[in-house]
Amino acid sequence: MATVACSYTHAIALLHCLLFFSIPQAQQPQVPPSALNQKPCNTVSAIFVFGDSTVDPGNNNYLATPLKSNFPPYGRDFLGHLATGRFTNGRLATDFLASYLGLKDQVPPYLDWTLGASELETGVSFASAGSGYDLLTAQISGVIPVLHQLDYFKDYLAKLDLLMGRRRSQDLIRQAVFVVSAGTNDFVVNYLSVPIRQQRFNLQDYQNFLLHNIRDFLQFEEFDQQGLEELGAQKIVVVGLPPMGCLPIVITLNWKGGFGDRGCIQAYNALSRDFNEKLQIELRYLQSRFAADGGQILYANIYDPLINLILSPSKFGFADAANGCCGTGLVEAALLCNLKSIVCSDASKYVFWDSIHPTEKTYFIVFNSLRQLIDRAC
């Protein structure tokens, strides 16, 4: 596998971009409404989401962290042009999934204390932007580690028991779909940018460390703690890594070519592919044990649909796949993408909204590529 390196100077720049600081008329999102609300099955009761900013609808709004996006121009194309805390211009792939399953149009953040019974009973997201499978990844940004998101889920289960009764709540959990999406921050923000983990792990050992944490999250075997399986989950979808080398900020901090000729960093993409292969092997092993109880653990491949539209953007109606819509599109994210930023007039022409996160249109394409997998989860 190709060697991945990131200088300490790049690390500091990356963390600065991630952690610190005339919008045109909003365009209507170009997402075909006919593709949603089709409800492929009648057995899914709710959706529960764990992970990072790719699936965080606003939990970080309630945390003391600079990794927030509850301000314009984020949410510019969301319903009511609201900046909900989603790190994009509109909806996330999990919002499209919830709509497709006929549950609701958007998945709310669990930490929103105003949520009513109907919202709680149809599912919530526990995800926290900046998080990862490594506890240190979340500590860097002051957010909720993926492993600790299970604690919030346990709190949710106690509330659900009060709302519905123990038997009905157990039935709801068994019929729900669980989505887990994380890992990018563990490499881009943590291992490849901060020297702490490199002193303990080589790259292969760090991948194995993350895989061990994923196994614990799904099926805890140590210290009598409970993973998703022990907490009642029967339908779990684990999302693989994207082509990390194509994130605009990764290109900016690692590109050795000319300024006007920005290409993906192949070493990072090779790392994504390598980890995804190992993740699939791990999930197949867990599935072999999980199947005895009638459960499903499915792998969601987002690398291929993303790399396809990044390498051939015009085929999907995009004009730019190397820069974000917000600001210069090179480094802006979170507080750096703000009301003073120059923003593109039509986000649907861009693969990325800021230097890290996809646009709503990109999220929809990724969701659409996974519909057959979703049908299997039914």
Side-chain angles (χ1 to χ4, degrees):
M1 189 186 73
T3 301
V4 180
C6 182
S7 71
Y8 188 70
T9 302
H10 283 176
I12 297 299
L14 177 60
L15 290 176
H16 176 77
C17 291
L18 288 173
L19 298 177
F20 298 98
F21 329 4
S22 69
I23 302 175
Q25 180 63 38
Q27 302 291 317
Q28 291 301 313
Q30 297 183 5
V31 176
S34 61
L36 303 177
N37 300 311
Q38 294 188 9
K39 198 163 190 179
C41 60
N42 296 313
T43 60
V44 175
S45 58
I47 179 172
F48 299 102
V49 185
F50 303 82
D52 56 23
S53 59
T54 57
V55 288
D56 179 4
N59 281 307
N60 277 19
N61 299 349
Y62 305 90
L63 303 178
T65 174
L67 281 185
K68 301 180 191 291
S69 60
N70 56 342
F71 46 83
Y74 287 99
R76 189 183 68 176
D77 300 312
F78 197 78
L79 180 66
H81 311 298
L82 294 176
T84 60
R86 289 167 172 81
F87 282 77
T88 185
N89 60 305
R91 289 164 287 180
L92 303 171
T94 41
D95 294 316
F96 292 124
L97 172 57
S99 184
Y100 180 64
L101 294 173
L103 297 170
K104 48 190 168 187
D105 291 331
Q106 53 192 270
V107 182
Y110 176 64
L111 294 185
D112 181 356
W113 59 272
T114 67
L115 295 181
S118 62
E119 286 281 25
L120 291 172
E121 291 175 6
T122 49
V124 293
S125 175
F126 303 91
S128 180
S131 188
Y133 296 116
D134 183 348
L135 296 180
L136 177 60
T137 303
Q139 290 172 7
I140 291 171
S141 304
V143 298
I144 308 170
V146 173
L147 287 172
H148 291 177
Q149 290 170 23
L150 282 174
D151 295 330
Y152 288 91
F153 181 56
K154 292 174 187 176
D155 179 69
Y156 165 86
L157 290 176
K159 292 181 181 178
L160 194 65
D161 285 347
L162 292 175
L163 283 172
M164 305 180 65
R166 181 66 171 164
R167 186 170 181 176
R168 286 183 60 205
S169 69
Q170 288 178 329
D171 288 341
L172 184 146
I173 297 303
R174 276 194 296 267
Q175 296 173 15
V177 168
F178 291 76
V179 178
V180 187
S181 177
T184 298
N185 294 322
D186 291 313
F187 291 105
V188 175
V189 177
N190 186 349
Y191 187 83
L192 299 173
S193 296
V194 180
I196 297 175
R197 286 302 190 215
Q198 295 180 28
Q199 295 173 3
R200 177 181 174 188
F201 301 105
N202 61 34
L203 188 54
Q204 182 173 338
D205 288 342
Y206 187 68
Q207 292 183 68
N208 292 333
F209 168 69
L210 295 182
L211 291 169
H212 174 81
N213 286 351
I214 292 171
R215 181 165 60 251
D216 281 352
F217 180 83
L218 298 175
Q219 299 177 326
F220 240 121
E221 298 176 344
E222 299 178 5
F223 312 118
D224 296 323
Q225 297 189 61
Q226 293 176 301
L228 275 186
E229 179 190 357
E230 289 82 2
L231 292 170
Q234 289 285 290
K235 303 173 182 179
I236 305 172
V237 178
V238 180
V239 181
L241 293 180
M244 297 187 294
C246 296
L247 300 179
I249 195 167
V250 171
I251 297 174
T252 299
L253 297 180
N254 293 275
W255 183 241
K256 300 297 191 296
F259 180 79
D261 182 24
R262 289 164 54 84
C264 297
I265 308 302
Q266 294 308 319
Y268 278 71
N269 284 353
L271 174 56
S272 292
R273 293 191 299 269
D274 186 50
F275 183 78
N276 286 342
E277 289 178 6
K278 293 176 179 178
L279 176 60
Q280 290 177 76
I281 293 171
E282 181 67 34
L283 296 181
R284 283 195 292 268
Y285 165 72
L286 294 176
Q287 172 60 30
S288 68
R289 301 174 56 191
F290 199 25
D293 297 323
Q296 288 180 298
I297 299 179
L298 301 173
Y299 169 76
N301 173 14
I302 64 169
Y303 184 98
D304 288 341
L306 280 172
I307 199 66
N308 288 339
L309 62 87
I310 288 169
L311 295 180
S312 302
S314 60
K315 291 183 180 179
F316 300 86
F318 294 108
D320 193 320
N323 308 287
C325 168
C326 186
T328 64
L330 305 179
V331 296
E332 291 87 351
L335 293 176
L336 286 173
C337 175
N338 53 56
L339 274 171
K340 295 184 179 180
S341 302
I342 298 173
V343 186
C344 70
S345 61
D346 185 357
S348 71
K349 298 298 182 182
Y350 284 72
V351 172
F352 293 97
W353 166 251
D354 58 21
S355 66
I356 302 171
H357 306 97
T359 57
E360 177 186 66
K361 181 179 175 181
T362 302
Y363 276 125
F364 177 76
I365 291 173
V366 171
F367 152 76
N368 205 38
S369 72
L370 298 174
R371 282 170 62 178
Q372 288 186 345
L373 180 74
I374 296 165
D375 294 346
R376 284 176 56 195
C378 291

